[in-house]
Amino acid sequence: MKSFKVLKDFFRDNAWRYGLGIFWLIVVNTINLQVPRLLGTVTDLLSTRQIGPMDLLRYAGYILGIAAAIAIGRFSWRIFIMGSARKLEYYLRNKLFAHLETLSANFFTENKTGDLMAHATNDISAVRMAMGPGVLMLTDSLYITTITVITMAKNIDGKMTLFALLPMPFLAVIALVFGQKIHVRFKAVQQAFSSMTDRVQENLAGIRVIKSFVQEEAEIARFDKAADNYVVKSMNMIKLWGLFMPIMQLIAGISYLIVLAYGGIMVIHARITLGDLVAFISYLGMLIWPMMAVGRVINVLQRGAASMERLNALFDQTPDVNDHPEAVPVSSLKGDIDFRNLSFAYPDGTQALRNISIKVEKGKTLAIIGRTGSGKTTLVNLLLRLYNTEPGQLLIDGIDINMIPLATLRESIGYVPQDNFLFSDTIANNIGFAGDFSPEDIEEAARLAQVYDNIVEFPLKFETMTGERGVTLSGGQKQRISIARALVKDPNILILDDCLSAVDTHTEEEILKGLRQVRKGRTSIIISHRVSTVMDADEIVVLDQGKIIERGTHEQLVRRGGLYQHLYLKQQLEKKVSEA
């Protein structure tokens, strides 16, 4: 199917597994077809009293032998078909995760985590069902139907076979109509599941905020609404599926009725034997299962196709930020940064920066200060190339940032973000996240970030688990571990994005004292709303509404009497009040 084109590499490499599975399935079905014939023969021999106890034992032995062969065959096709479906699930989940890792920051801004989790669980599971049980039932149905019909017509009676198959066209029409409706309704179910998953993820992530504002009941009500929507969508599909199966059974019952009526007349008139009728009914029983399975096959395949379409929508997403085809082959960056009349607007049209011109020489420190929403973090995001800039507007070492390989750019930058995200791992692994660092390197980075003394007070020291998003640590400890994570890389460019907001002024002074030594010889960009954090920078830039409104050293800006002076005096007053 067109929906499954993204899996063509998997099918190419695993076609032999499916081939072997289908081979064993056909072998099992072929052997299985011998059972009705045996039952018919035994019935005729019993009705004419031409069989003795030893003959019965011999035929029982045949049936046991057939059962053993079927058991071996079934084990084989399960290993190859169902096993291949599990391999496909593994392949698809890894492929999806790897693809998500390549997408740009803007994609994760526009897509909710819960929805992506639903794709990685429910949708992939539905695809596995289509490529496992779906393939099995489809092959089984086609082969059994074909061989059984031929056997019934050839060995017993062609006319009775034709009568038994009269309801089949109705089956095909019903299957087609219901299949299309199931496809639509299953997509609605998956979308409802995504919304519900997203609601759970968001609540668990924000559980402390919920409890702080005593909003448990309100959030339970919101979840109940999402869960109710999922139930409604699921019931809509189940009702359709529930109607589908009884209709299939009704058609199967009509076939039995035709065979019993017509076959009974033929036995009475001695046109066929009683054994032939028993065999024919047994064959019809084998034929009824594929008729019933058609509905299940359609359901499973339509679910798989609907889920694959949702996954394809993700695979069709391409990263906004890529290595340029003619990227300059540089292995490291020295740290000369040049913003040249840079302007930037987010994809939604929001203008974030206007005409920014700043030059930062290697080894110098630039500080950026301004009110919330002034564009400080946006400037850093452009340096990390989380978004693209216009050609010639941002250069590093004289090279357009768009022409620098992404790996080289980001490996040369030590970045400490505002949110101080920590992984649910040990403190040592969080600090050494960027590579393979020795314990000595990790400890030294912790000392420079003024968090070493806190860490060694924990019972497990650097092997202490941080918990989800660092929940076991204080805000200040998380910030300092994030600083250590950036410092351990020994980067040529160091970016601190308002990363000292959760520490007290004394700890801030200690961290800044340690960073003064670290900053020597490397380009540093410090973003803060605290004047005390930026006052010793070589140049301070004041941003407001995406524009530079002031620039200079601390002393120059304090004397100038603008926004910087206002912030400085305000924070000095707050400090005095706090001390008092």
Side-chain angles (χ1 to χ4, degrees), residues 548-577:
I548 297 175
I549 60 170
E550 296 177 66
R551 65 194 311 165
T553 62
H554 171 70
E555 291 76 13
Q556 291 170 341
L557 292 173
V558 168
R559 290 196 302 268
R560 192 166 295 165
L563 176 61
Y564 185 87
Q565 184 198 63
H566 171 73
L567 292 173
Y568 174 68
L569 294 175
K570 179 183 176 184
Q571 290 173 19
Q572 286 294 99
L573 180 61
E574 289 172 351
K575 183 178 179 182
K576 288 178 182 178
V577 171

Side-chain angles (χ1 to χ4, degrees), residues 342-346 348-355 373-375 378 545-546:
L342 181 147
S343 295
F344 176 76
Y346 283 102
D348 63 1
T350 303
Q351 191 71 34
L353 296 170
R354 296 177 178 86
N355 307 319
S374 59
T378 299
Q545 295 184 349

Side-chain angles (χ1 to χ4, degrees), residues 153-227:
K154 185 177 179 182
N155 295 343
I156 301 177
D157 187 83
K159 198 172 181 181
M160 187 163 59
T161 302
L162 181 63
F163 285 147
L165 297 178
L166 282 177
M168 286 294 184
F170 298 100
L171 178 70
V173 173
I174 291 168
L176 182 64
V177 172
F178 273 75
Q180 292 172 344
K181 292 184 181 295
I182 287 171
H183 181 88
V184 173
R185 293 194 183 186
F186 186 71
K187 286 186 75 173
V189 169
Q190 294 295 72
Q191 288 165 359
F193 180 79
S194 294
S195 299
M196 186 176 65
T197 305
D198 187 65
R199 173 60 41 205
V200 173
Q201 185 274 331
E202 194 172 61
N203 269 260
L204 294 179
I207 189 65
R208 288 160 190 81
V209 176
I210 293 169
K211 288 185 174 295
S212 299
F213 287 86
V214 198
Q215 289 299 301
E216 294 93 337
E217 293 299 326
E219 289 304 313
I220 289 171
R222 292 179 69 185
F223 174 77
D224 185 63
K225 186 177 180 181

